[in-house]
Amino acid sequence: MASDLSAAGATPVAAAAVPAGLPWGVAVLAVGLAVEALASRTGGAAGDRPAALLGLALTSVGLALAGPGLTHVCGRLLQAVRPGALRLLAGRVLMAEAARIGRPLGVVCAVLAAAYAMASLQHRQDATSGPLVTLGVLLVAGCTLATLLTAAVEARQARAGTTEELRRLGAPAATLRKAAVLRALALLALFGPLTLVVAELSAWPLSR
């Protein structure tokens, strides 16, 4: 059964090339973090607030650009160091769907990081603007999450034929569900800490 699943993971789900936006996304993200770090070294003067906001915008764009590439890398890491059939299958699916789900996932991480940074800025602003800022953040986050869910549904529909082929080759339904859970955990393990780091670095110069 394991050999059948290994063959199923290697044949129906073909490995895709690394998305071209990864180097640009990492570069823009690094520039954004550098701008925010430079703004934080000046002691949080009022004139440096635009620089901090520019850095926040750059980091958000960098996360969105790097999303597909990071998803592809996540799938490749799942297959590293003598992978079993389950990791091989989950990794191949992530690599194949990196371009489809990576961009919305990167945008979600960017929105969450920006929302955290803007929440830290809200404490220094007029309290009357708080509800409007919160409403705007919730609206953008809701639209972004809806886009991510739509991309996930489209990806599931796109691989429906592959799923049927895997079942025909003898892959149990429980194994396919475990592979889906493993993909979700792998993405959370990569994008979760990255979002937290970017959010903290973005909030630091804005809250000073």
Side-chain angles (χ1 to χ4, degrees):
M1 180 63 67
S3 60
D4 293 340
L5 290 178
S6 299
T11 303
V13 184
V18 180
L22 181 58
W24 288 105
V26 173
V28 174
L29 178 62
V31 170
L33 293 177
V35 171
E36 294 176 358
L38 182 62
S40 66
R41 293 182 60 183
T42 60
D48 297 316
R49 186 61 55 80
L53 292 176
L54 174 61
L56 176 60
L58 289 174
T59 55
S60 299
V61 173
L63 281 174
L65 290 176
L70 291 176
T71 303
H72 187 278
V73 171
C74 187
R76 187 174 294 275
L77 290 177
L78 273 178
Q79 303 173 75
V81 190
R82 300 178 61 182
L86 186 61
R87 284 199 294 139
L88 181 64
L89 177 59
R92 284 296 179 91
V93 171
L94 274 184
M95 292 171 64
E97 297 179 353
R100 187 187 302 272
I101 66 175
R103 184 63 54 81
L105 186 58
V107 172
V108 168
C109 294
V111 169
L112 292 178
Y116 183 87
M118 295 305 295
S120 66
L121 177 61
Q122 179 181 333
H123 295 294
R124 299 176 57 90
Q125 293 179 336
D126 184 7
T128 58
S129 64
L132 293 179
V133 174
T134 303
L135 179 60
V137 169
L138 291 177
L139 180 61
V140 174
C143 294
T144 306
L145 289 175
T147 302
L148 178 60
L149 291 177
T150 301
V153 172
E154 291 178 353
R156 182 177 181 179
Q157 294 175 348
R159 67 172 183 269
T162 301
T163 301
E164 290 299 325
E165 181 68 14
L166 290 174
R167 289 176 177 173
R168 187 184 66 81
L169 291 173
T175 301
L176 298 180
R177 288 193 295 269
K178 290 179 181 179
V181 173
L182 182 59
R183 292 196 303 270
L185 292 177
L187 290 175
L188 182 61
L190 177 63
F191 283 93
L194 177 62
T195 303
L196 290 177
V197 170
V198 173
E200 288 290 343
L201 292 177
S202 300
W204 184 27
L206 292 174
S207 59
R208 298 182 62 179

